[in-house]
Amino acid sequence: SKAFLAAINVNAEQESVGSLEIEEDDLLDWTSNLLRVDAQQNPPVWRVSHLSVVEYLETRWSVLEAHCYVAKACLALLVETYRDEDEQQKNILPDIVRLDHPLQVYARHHWIRHVQTQEDQDVDPKLAHLLKTFLGSLEKSSVHYRGWHRQILSERRLEGVDPLFEPNCISPGTAAIFAVCRFSFYNLLRDWWDKASLETLPTHADSGDDLLALAAATGCEPICLRLYELGMPISMVRENRTYSRALTAAAYNGHLPVVRLLVDKGADINQPTYTEFHNANPPRANEGASEVVHYHSVLAAAAYSRHREMVRFLVDKGANINRSAYDRVLTSAILGKDIWVVRFLVDKGADVDQLFLYDYDWLMSMQWAGQNDKELGEIMAYLQDWKAANVRVLTIQEAWEADYYQG
């Protein structure tokens, strides 16, 4: 309720923030009881008094128009909040500008989501202006953005984006280009992109990702295409080796149009990757554990993340299913726990025998874990049945290698 009432003080069109002390009774009176306070919730929340109110409002304002207004209000508040330090000291700031104010917390964490809803709409000039004011420029961020960025770094989270968001992917905060790529701001900043040059842009975030990988991870095809046109390499060179980080990021997150674009522009689907993803729910006996899953191929990342059409596309394009003893796509598919992906890979030639030879102990641990996991149990039963129906004699070389890898 405090955040809702305080939002009335934000005038997005005039880019101003007031300091009126508004009470619940004031708003109920102003809206002629079109709104009500649901005191049964803890804390109490505001609701419309009747569904007919929603129908009436939707004839005047669409959901997308509402998103646009909230986006402008959030940006106006953030610009007012993170001003130059000297200017802040000269002014008596209203309560609404305090960083712990509920409206501040909401604006800080959710402005991105509201702005993103406008990417496919006609550009609202005021929203574009506020976004540019807040960001500064692609090359050099504004004082407003840097203040917001410092706060997000201290909180180590961004609720409105995704639960696994890592602030280092939009760092350093001295340049807004990393956030622009990570959050897919293209249409609203079209004139910036038209004038952009790789000669003046920083290209790598603190996470190690280049701009193309950041845009590919969120599926922003226009930014990926523009970066390619500007001359950004499709593959990333690191420690004298070439990796397909952008392609892997797009495949892992299921962005098939971006994967098609990168492949059409020459990305090698069998190029090694330099990628790790945090998996908060690994299929292990010790529930609640966390691990970092490393992938060595684009197909392995797609298989783990259960994107069926992505797996099919990559295999049809010639992705290597059986890369090496250290990099088996089938292992990632098992961890992903999608029986369709496992069956598809086996039907396309995934070497189940190699899996039993070199990863027998790991498979047995998966089988044990599958006793309490229906999806994993179904996969392990399928693999056991397949193995039983396809028995073959090992060669001397295979027997020696199996003994070597299993210690």
Side-chain angles (χ1 to χ4, degrees):
S1 182
K2 185 176 181 180
F4 187 68
L5 293 171
I8 298 172
N9 279 295
V10 181
N11 188 322
E13 297 302 326
Q14 294 184 9
E15 303 177 37
S16 63
V17 177
S19 57
L20 293 176
E21 294 292 337
I22 302 170
E23 302 294 335
E24 290 181 354
D25 289 340
D26 295 327
L27 184 57
L28 290 171
D29 183 56
W30 295 343
T31 59
S32 300
N33 294 314
L34 293 176
L35 301 176
R36 65 182 178 87
V37 179
D38 185 352
Q40 294 182 349
Q41 301 295 319
N42 187 22
V45 297
W46 286 83
R47 299 189 188 279
V48 294
S49 58
H50 193 271
L51 288 178
S52 61
V53 177
V54 177
E55 295 174 355
Y56 169 77
L57 291 175
E58 287 181 342
T59 64
R60 301 297 184 94
W61 234 19
S62 71
V63 173
L64 285 173
E65 287 173 327
H67 272 296
C68 184
Y69 186 84
V70 175
K72 289 185 286 189
C74 287
L75 289 170
L77 178 59
L78 293 174
V79 167
E80 179 67 23
T81 301
Y82 299 103
R83 288 185 174 275
D84 181 79
E85 291 182 356
D86 292 336
E87 187 174 347
Q88 282 194 2
Q89 293 172 0
K90 294 177 182 178
N91 294 291
I92 300 175
L93 299 177
D95 181 64
I96 194 176
V97 179
R98 285 181 27 244
L99 296 181
D100 60 348
H101 191 284
L103 184 60
Q104 275 285 335
V105 175
Y106 181 87
R108 185 161 67 242
H109 288 273
H110 295 273
W111 69 271
I112 296 161
R113 181 170 61 88
H114 292 297
V115 172
Q116 287 173 334
T117 66
Q118 303 304 300
E119 271 298 306
D120 295 327
Q121 308 303 311
D122 292 337
V123 174
D124 182 288
K126 176 61 71 172
L127 177 58
H129 165 71
L130 282 167
L131 181 60
K132 292 173 183 177
T133 300
F134 174 70
L135 293 174
S137 69
L138 295 179
E139 298 83 3
K140 183 179 180 180
S141 60
S142 70
V143 64
H144 319 294
Y145 177 85
R146 292 194 297 274
W148 170 82
H149 183 269
R150 284 193 299 271
Q151 185 64 28
I152 293 301
L153 280 182
S154 68
E155 296 178 358
R156 300 297 304 175
R157 76 186 198 283
L158 196 54
E159 295 175 0
V161 180
D162 63 65
L164 297 181
F165 170 78
E166 290 289 339
N168 61 355
C169 71
I170 60 168
S171 299
T174 52
I177 182 63
F178 303 115
V180 169
C181 289
R182 175 63 176 79
F183 303 136
S184 303
F185 298 151
Y186 179 78
N187 194 38
L188 289 164
L189 306 176
R190 184 62 181 270
D191 55 334
W192 281 10
W193 281 111
D194 289 343
K195 300 173 184 177
S197 170
L198 288 184
E199 295 179 358
T200 58
L201 288 175
T203 57
H204 286 77
D206 288 350
S207 62
D209 294 294
D210 61 18
L211 300 178
L212 187 59
L214 292 174
T218 55
C220 189
E221 191 175 357
I223 291 182
C224 289
L225 179 58
R226 182 59 181 145
L227 289 171
Y228 171 79
E229 292 172 344
L230 291 173
M232 174 152 283
I234 290 179
S235 299
M236 183 174 68
V237 178
R238 190 168 183 173
E239 298 174 358
N240 297 321
R241 295 188 63 184
T242 305
Y243 302 96
S244 56
R245 180 97 179 192
L247 188 61
T248 306
Y252 176 81
N253 289 287
H255 301 307
L256 188 55
V258 172
V259 170
R260 291 183 187 275
L261 170 68
L262 295 176
V263 171
D264 289 344
K265 299 302 182 182
D268 183 356
I269 57 176
N270 286 313
Q271 196 172 65
T273 68
Y274 192 94
T275 309
E276 62 183 32
F277 296 95
H278 290 271
N279 172 24
N281 297 292
R284 301 291 171 85
N286 54 327
E287 293 186 5
S290 180
E291 67 176 9
V292 176
V293 181
H294 296 265
Y295 300 109
H296 299 284
S297 71
V298 178
L299 181 57
Y304 175 80
S305 53
R306 303 163 65 112
H307 294 300
R308 298 179 179 182
E309 289 307 309
M310 185 73 69
V311 171
R312 187 194 301 274
F313 172 79
L314 292 171
V315 171
D316 289 345
K317 285 292 184 177
N320 193 339
I321 298 175
N322 302 300
R323 292 174 62 87
S324 70
Y326 294 103
D327 176 25
R328 277 180 289 281
V329 174
L330 194 54
T331 300
S332 296
I334 294 170
L335 285 170
K337 298 190 292 185
D338 187 333
I339 185 66
W340 185 94
V341 174
V342 173
R343 288 179 180 273
F344 178 81
L345 292 173
V346 172
D347 290 343
K348 293 295 183 178
D351 197 332
V352 180
D353 284 321
Q354 295 289 308
L355 196 64
F356 276 86
L357 279 174
Y358 301 122
D359 289 330
Y360 182 80
D361 290 341
W362 178 80
L363 280 175
M364 291 305 99
S365 70
M366 291 296 99
Q367 180 139 352
W368 186 84
Q371 295 176 6
N372 299 309
D373 188 315
K374 182 179 179 181
E375 291 179 317
L376 189 58
E378 184 180 7
I379 290 172
M380 297 315 299
Y382 164 73
L383 292 173
Q384 291 285 1
D385 290 344
W386 188 96
K387 179 64 176 173
N390 295 273
V391 176
R392 68 180 179 84
V393 178
L394 298 181
T395 66
I396 294 176
Q397 179 68 19
E398 288 175 332
W400 180 87
E401 289 180 352
D403 181 66
Y404 172 81
Y405 280 107
Q406 294 184 34

